[in-house]
């Protein structure tokens, strides 16, 4: 029994290989097959559900391993609690067996799981399977239709089709059925890419991304950003990373004066991470225009344990044995946009790039460019920085907007409106890069912009209907 559970745990860790840095994204089309075969071969539905639980625990442990400095032993608790969501997936794999309806139900349950754990109060949507395709623009085009949820659905459906093709003992018709389904799923992305035209261009802009590296001293960090900015070629917008300004600008006139000088030629978007007069801490994106005026956005979605501790009264002790937040940051009130030089940009901060709804929220407010500010200094040397950067490509494809990320310590990157990579400054790079972006009109919309998370909603409905059918024993089983 324990050997089987250990095998399920191991199978759950395998999908992490499809994300950066391993970057074996092609494996996402087959990586779930070993786990599905283990669940399907379970002696009963309950045993299959247990195997699914172990699979989910392995999955979350692998994709969240880099949080150990902040969570410490809490990672085991997170993996055990939220890994239980995959019990339904494992049970369904055994219950449906080789029924063709599994190609719809199993992907729906997977997407429902991803959608459930994506609620901000439950942590956030890190490690969604669909993100593994971030560097394949043709496949990524599906995100413009149904968001990252459609990508995950297609990948799980492809794995399920392979399992159908492996059905013994009469493989003939099932091989053909599984092969046809797999072929259709493989061409869905390229066909969507070919059918969709590139967004029209209202203007072109040069955006500079500044990356000073890991500098712990706030004054030294500010000076590094200041020096790099002064040496950067001319640009229409300059973006600094998260926590690039470690002092409250309103309380330090000298800092404000130096920033106004930097913004004399082009607006500069900095990020303030400092205590206010009342001792509260927020992270704010601040746009400083050449005329000296400011616009501010306060980070809304905070990092669990990194920027606040959920249920601090019960879990506050984690801050004594790890790097969990010693003081909770104060969140903002919601997404907003900024305007400068005829451009409307949607500023979002670090962890907020994981949330599809925030990208859509700023687009609905007229954003023509998505701008993310990030700092992954705590996680240098892990797979977190490139995985974080890959999310920007997905958000660009979903919204049909170019998207950039300025990371304090890397990875700083830029993607066009179809999710094609334009720039990539890895964690070992210090300096700046300037990228030319084609800006679409504010009225441009993708189907996902208009329809939202309908794929996730349908997945939840299908999963609920399957659960109801299972409870009533009315689903036709294959002979």
């Amino acid at each position: 029994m324990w050997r089987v559970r250990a095998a399920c745990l191991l199978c759950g860790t395998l999908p992490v290989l499809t994300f950066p840095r391993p970057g074996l994204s092609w494996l996402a089309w087959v990586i779930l097959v070993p786990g599905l075969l283990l669940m399907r071969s379970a002696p009963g539905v309950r045993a299959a559900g247990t195997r699914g639980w172990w699979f989910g625990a392995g999955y979350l442990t692998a994709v969240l391993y880099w949080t150990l400095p902040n969570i410490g032993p809490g990672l085991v608790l997170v993996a055990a609690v939220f890994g239980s969501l995959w019990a339904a997936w494992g049970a369904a794999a055994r219950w449906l067996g080789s029924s063709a309806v599994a190609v719809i139900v199993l992907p729906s349950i997977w997407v429902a799981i991803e959608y459930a754990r994506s609620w901000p109060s439950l942590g956030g949507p890190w490690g969604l399977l669909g993100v593994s395709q971030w560097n394949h623009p043709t496949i990524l085009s599906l995100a413009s239709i149904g968001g990252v949820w459609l990508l995950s659905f297609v990948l799980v459906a492809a794995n399920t089709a392979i399992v159908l093709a492996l059905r013994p003992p009469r493989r003939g018709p099932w091989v053909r059925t599984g092969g046809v389904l797999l072929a259709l799923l493989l061409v869905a992305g390229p066909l969507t890419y070919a059918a969709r035209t590139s967004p029209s261009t209202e203007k072109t802009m040069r955006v500079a991304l500044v990356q000073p590296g890991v500098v712990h001293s706030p004054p030294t960090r500010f000076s590094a950003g200041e020096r790099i900015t002064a040496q950067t070629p001319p640009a229409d917008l300059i973006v600094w990373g998260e926590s690039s300004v470690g002092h409250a600008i309103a309380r330090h006139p000298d800092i404000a004066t130096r920033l106004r000088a930097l913004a004399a030629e082009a607006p500069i978007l900095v990020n303030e991470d400092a205590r206010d007069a009342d001792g509260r801490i927020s992270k704010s994106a601040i746009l400083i225009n050449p005329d000296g005026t400011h616009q501010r956005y306060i980070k809304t979605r905070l990092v669990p344990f990194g920027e606040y501790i959920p249920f601090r009264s019960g879990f506050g002790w984690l801050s004594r044995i790890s790097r969990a937040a010693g003081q909770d940051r104060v969140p903002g009130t919601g997404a907003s946009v900024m305007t400068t030089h005829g451009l409307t940009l949607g500023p979002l901060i670090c962890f907020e790039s994981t949330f599809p709804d925030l990208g859509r929220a700023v687009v609905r407010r007229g954003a023509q460019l998505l701008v993310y500010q990030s700092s992954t200094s705590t996680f240098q040397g892990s797979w977190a920085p490139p995985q974080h950067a890959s999310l920007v490509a997905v958000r660009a494809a979903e919204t049909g907007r170019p998207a950039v990320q300025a990371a304090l310590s890397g990875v700083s990157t830029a993607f066009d409106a179809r999710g094609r990579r334009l720039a990539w400054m890895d964690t070992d790079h210090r300096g700046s890069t300037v990228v030319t972006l084609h800006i679409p009109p504010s009225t441009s919309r993708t189907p996902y912009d208009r329809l939202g998370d309908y794929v996730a909603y349908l997945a939840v409905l299908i999963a609920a209907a399957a659960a109801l059918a299972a409870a009533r024993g009315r689903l036709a089983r294959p002979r």
Side-chain angles (χ1 to χ4, degrees):
M1 180 184 296
W2 285 104
R3 289 181 180 179
V4 174
R5 292 179 178 179
C8 291
L9 186 74
L10 177 62
C11 287
T13 67
L14 295 179
V16 75
L17 299 176
T18 67
F19 301 106
R21 291 220 187 255
L24 304 176
S25 55
W26 59 271
L27 271 178
W29 297 90
V30 299
I31 203 69
L32 304 181
V33 171
L36 282 170
L37 290 175
L38 281 172
M39 295 169 207
R40 199 180 68 164
S41 64
V45 172
R46 179 175 296 181
T50 301
R51 294 182 183 186
W53 191 338
W54 282 86
F55 179 96
Y59 185 93
L60 293 179
T61 300
V63 299
L64 295 174
Y65 87 93
W66 53 271
T67 64
L68 275 171
N70 286 109
I71 299 180
L75 178 58
V76 177
L77 178 64
V78 169
V81 171
F82 292 101
S84 64
L85 295 172
W86 273 268
W89 191 63
R94 172 65 176 80
W95 175 54
L96 293 171
S98 296
S99 171
V101 76
V103 180
I104 300 296
V105 175
L106 291 183
S108 295
I109 294 175
W110 183 283
V111 171
I113 292 169
E114 291 193 332
Y115 190 65
R117 70 183 186 89
S118 296
W119 293 348
S121 57
L122 294 182
W126 188 277
L128 303 186
L129 187 62
V131 177
S132 65
Q133 304 305 299
W134 71 277
N135 58 343
H136 299 291
T138 53
I139 299 172
L140 196 58
S141 63
L142 291 172
S144 67
I145 305 297
V148 68
W149 319 113
L150 183 56
L151 290 170
S152 291
F153 186 96
V154 167
L155 290 173
V156 179
N159 280 266
T160 307
I162 293 173
V163 172
L164 285 179
L166 296 174
R167 177 183 183 267
R170 295 169 55 192
R171 295 187 178 184
W174 290 102
V175 169
R176 290 193 294 272
T177 301
V180 170
L181 290 173
L182 182 60
L184 290 174
L185 293 166
L186 287 172
V187 302
L191 289 177
T192 301
Y193 185 86
R196 287 188 57 79
T197 58
S198 297
S200 58
T201 300
E202 185 175 90
K203 65 180 74 175
T204 58
M205 291 193 65
R206 288 169 56 83
V207 177
L209 308 175
V210 175
Q211 183 171 300
V214 180
V215 184
H216 296 294
S217 168
T220 307
R221 186 190 314 143
F222 182 90
S223 296
E226 190 177 33
R227 182 182 65 257
I228 294 171
T229 300
Q231 298 170 352
T232 297
D236 301 304
L237 174 67
I238 302 167
V239 185
W240 286 15
E242 181 186 24
S243 304
S244 50
V245 180
H247 302 282
I249 296 174
R251 302 172 62 194
H252 291 79
D254 57 323
I255 296 292
T257 299
R258 292 162 70 181
L259 287 173
R260 282 196 297 269
L262 289 174
E265 300 297 328
I268 179 170
L269 185 71
V270 299
N271 191 276
E272 178 187 276
D273 183 6
R275 298 180 186 275
D276 61 16
D278 297 322
R280 299 173 301 181
I281 307 177
S282 294
K283 291 191 175 181
S284 302
I286 302 175
L287 180 67
I288 303 172
N289 291 303
D291 61 5
T293 58
H294 293 189
Q295 299 175 59
R296 180 184 294 264
Y297 163 71
I298 300 175
K299 187 175 184 178
T300 300
R301 305 272 173 86
L302 302 178
V303 181
F305 299 99
E307 293 171 337
Y308 78 101
I309 296 181
F311 309 106
R312 181 175 285 273
S313 59
F315 296 105
W317 56 272
L318 287 171
S319 64
R320 297 192 295 271
I321 63 172
S322 68
R323 299 179 188 173
Q327 177 182 343
D328 291 349
R329 265 58 175 178
V330 179
T333 57
S336 63
V337 296
M338 300 174 177
T339 56
T340 180
H341 288 183
L343 170 72
T344 303
L345 60 93
L348 293 164
I349 302 173
C350 201
F351 184 57
E352 294 181 325
S353 68
T354 66
F355 294 94
D357 65 303
L358 289 180
R360 287 176 42 244
V362 294
V363 166
R364 289 197 301 268
R365 289 167 171 79
Q368 300 166 279
L369 169 66
L370 303 183
V371 181
Y372 296 96
Q373 296 173 299
S374 173
S375 172
T376 52
S377 302
T378 305
F379 311 110
Q380 297 296 287
S382 73
W383 294 344
Q387 288 180 17
H388 192 257
S390 68
L391 293 165
V392 181
V394 182
R395 302 290 89 86
E398 285 174 339
T399 60
R401 298 290 189 275
V404 301
Q405 173 175 279
L408 194 66
S409 51
V411 174
S412 296
T413 188
F415 298 89
D416 71 6
R418 304 193 79 174
R420 295 173 293 197
R421 191 169 74 180
L422 303 175
W424 184 274
M425 284 198 298
D426 218 321
T427 52
D428 58 351
H429 186 89
R430 304 291 179 265
S432 66
T433 186
V434 179
V435 61
T436 300
L437 301 176
H438 296 275
I439 307 298
S442 60
T443 55
S444 174
R445 296 287 188 274
T446 65
Y448 180 66
D449 289 331
R450 297 189 183 96
L451 302 175
D453 296 333
Y454 71 94
V455 171
Y457 299 153
L458 288 174
V460 171
L461 288 175
I462 292 171
L468 182 61
R472 295 183 176 180
R474 292 182 179 177
L475 186 67
R477 295 179 180 274
R479 288 179 294 177

